[in-house]
Amino acid sequence: MENTAPLKPTETELEILQILWQHGPSTVRFVNEEQNKVKETGYTTTLKLLQIMFEKNLVSRDEESRSHVYRAAVTEDETQQRLLDRFLDTTFRGSAMKLVMQALGNHRTTPDELNQIRHLLKKLEDDSSNADS
Amino acid sequence: MENTAPLKPTETELEILQILWQHGPSTVRFVNEEQNKVKETGYTTTLKLLQIMFEKNLVSRDEESRSHVYRAAVTEDETQQRLLDRFLDTTFRGSAMKLVMQALGNHRTTPDELNQIRHLLKKLEDDSSNADS
DNA sequence: CTTGATCTACGACTAACTTCGTAGACAATT
DNA sequence: AATTGTCTACGAAGTTAGTCGTAGATCAAG
């Protein structure tokens, strides 16, 4: 077995990753307290999860002090991308278009955000104009 | 207990729903054959799944002929919307923007599709101008 | 040094999802 | 009427995710 193997996080694992991404390296206790803000969770439950995630190389940990400090071993962006690809496949049968339309259509988007998207569109358009470098 | 309760389909259930959405009402055998194009699946496995989905009211069935005919009891759109909402929450922490950006950024989108999105943006803009009603 | 708090490690239990084997009903065919 | 094939129903086993209890180590006081 090798490490450096990025897998698909489960629902709960993702919640924990979110916490680590938001707050940076954290102890089990901190992660657990954050989790409890959303949903009652026993301390050892959080611990176990983090240990499993450690096995899977989803997180790394610093064992210097008695209470280990865990940090995300995968970035938020790459994980989102991975999950998005999968989701696109299974739920929208690969049609990024349809997904975007539904996402934009059904969630109030601020004018500012709409502008950001417009900029992206512009950029995509330009990129496709002058094709390969 | 009541019926008319559309829940979150599991991974496999979603695959079956995709088949029903694509091909319309189908027998177990047909669904199973479609499934086998992607992944070897025993006949009774498919049958069982459809029966469970029937219990959950994800599909309805016509029992006239000996081989029942199943049809999706939830629409593709509403299911996609429901799953998208959930996905947006868990993976993108609610930021439709970020999701759209990633989706557009990492999947080649045709100029035509870009146009469609542009139209949608326009429409969203207009809608937000003249507020309610 | 004893008590109590906090930590890791680990095993076990539950619940949900998926898979499949087997049995019985029903029909078509020999 | 026996054989063969296809169907539904159902039960049971295997898998994975999530939960938590308990034991043992470590530390900080009293």
Side-chain angles (χ1 to χ4, degrees):
Chain A
M1 283 301 103
E2 253 303 329
N3 55 353
T4 57
L7 287 176
K8 181 202 171 224
T10 68
E11 195 78 359
T12 309
E13 287 170 349
L14 186 56
E15 282 165 20
I16 290 182
L17 282 175
Q18 303 278 17
I19 293 170
L20 294 179
W21 287 326
Q22 281 182 54
H23 300 92
S26 313
T27 61
V28 175
R29 177 138 317 266
F30 179 80
V31 171
N32 179 247
E33 278 162 2
E34 283 301 309
Q35 267 186 311
N36 274 301
K37 289 180 181 172
V38 176
K39 165 174 167 256
E40 170 125 354
T41 308
Y43 177 84
T44 54
T45 300
T46 304
L47 173 64
K48 179 73 163 189
L49 255 301
L50 279 165
Q51 286 170 341
I52 291 174
M53 292 170 74
F54 178 66
E55 293 294 308
K56 296 188 187 174
N57 292 298
L58 284 173
V59 300
S60 62
R61 71 181 175 194
D62 178 350
E63 310 184 356
E64 281 309 298
S65 40
R66 186 154 82 98
S67 32
H68 302 170
V69 175
Y70 288 83
R71 78 183 59 221
V74 292
T75 69
E76 182 167 18
D77 277 2
E78 83 184 322
T79 303
Q80 285 176 338
Q81 191 63 54
R82 191 188 317 281
L83 293 177
L84 175 57
D85 287 348
R86 184 190 191 74
F87 180 70
L88 199 52
D89 247 45
T90 61
T91 306
F92 286 85
R93 227 179 277 113
S95 166
M97 259 303 292
K98 181 136 197 241
L99 177 142
V100 169
M101 303 287 277
Q102 292 237 26
L104 289 182
N106 284 273
H107 300 273
R108 29 206 147 357
T109 316
T110 69
D112 183 55
E113 290 177 324
L114 290 182
N115 262 324
Q116 284 187 254
I117 296 177
R118 225 171 265 117
H119 285 323
L120 176 61
L121 286 181
K122 183 96 178 171
K123 187 168 162 299
L124 287 178
E125 197 175 5
D126 292 352
D127 286 0
S128 73
S129 298
N130 51 339
D132 33 16
S133 106
Chain B
M1 284 303 101
E2 253 302 329
N3 56 355
T4 57
L7 287 175
K8 180 201 170 225
T10 69
E11 196 77 0
T12 310
E13 286 170 349
L14 185 56
E15 283 166 21
I16 290 182
L17 283 175
Q18 302 278 17
I19 293 170
L20 294 179
W21 287 327
Q22 280 182 52
H23 300 91
S26 314
T27 62
V28 175
R29 180 142 308 273
F30 179 80
V31 171
N32 179 247
E33 278 161 1
E34 284 300 309
Q35 267 186 313
N36 274 302
K37 289 181 181 173
V38 176
K39 164 172 169 256
E40 169 125 353
T41 309
Y43 177 84
T44 52
T45 301
T46 303
L47 173 64
K48 181 71 165 189
L49 255 302
L50 279 166
Q51 286 170 340
I52 290 174
M53 292 169 74
F54 178 66
E55 294 294 307
K56 296 187 188 174
N57 292 299
L58 284 173
V59 299
S60 61
R61 71 181 176 193
D62 178 350
E63 311 183 355
E64 282 309 298
S65 40
R66 186 153 82 97
S67 32
H68 301 171
V69 174
Y70 287 83
R71 75 183 61 221
V74 292
T75 68
E76 183 166 17
D77 277 1
E78 85 185 320
T79 303
Q80 285 176 337
Q81 191 62 53
R82 190 187 315 281
L83 293 178
L84 176 57
D85 287 348
R86 184 190 191 74
F87 181 70
L88 200 50
D89 246 43
T90 61
T91 305
F92 286 84
R93 226 179 279 113
S95 167
M97 259 301 294
K98 181 132 197 246
L99 177 142
V100 169
M101 302 287 276
Q102 292 237 27
L104 289 182
N106 286 273
H107 300 272
R108 25 201 150 4
T109 317
T110 70
D112 183 55
E113 290 177 323
L114 291 183
N115 263 323
Q116 283 186 255
I117 297 177
R118 238 186 299 274
H119 285 323
L120 176 60
L121 286 182
K122 184 95 178 171
K123 186 166 160 300
L124 287 178
E125 199 175 4
D126 292 352
D127 286 359
S128 73
S129 297
N130 50 341
D132 34 19
S133 157

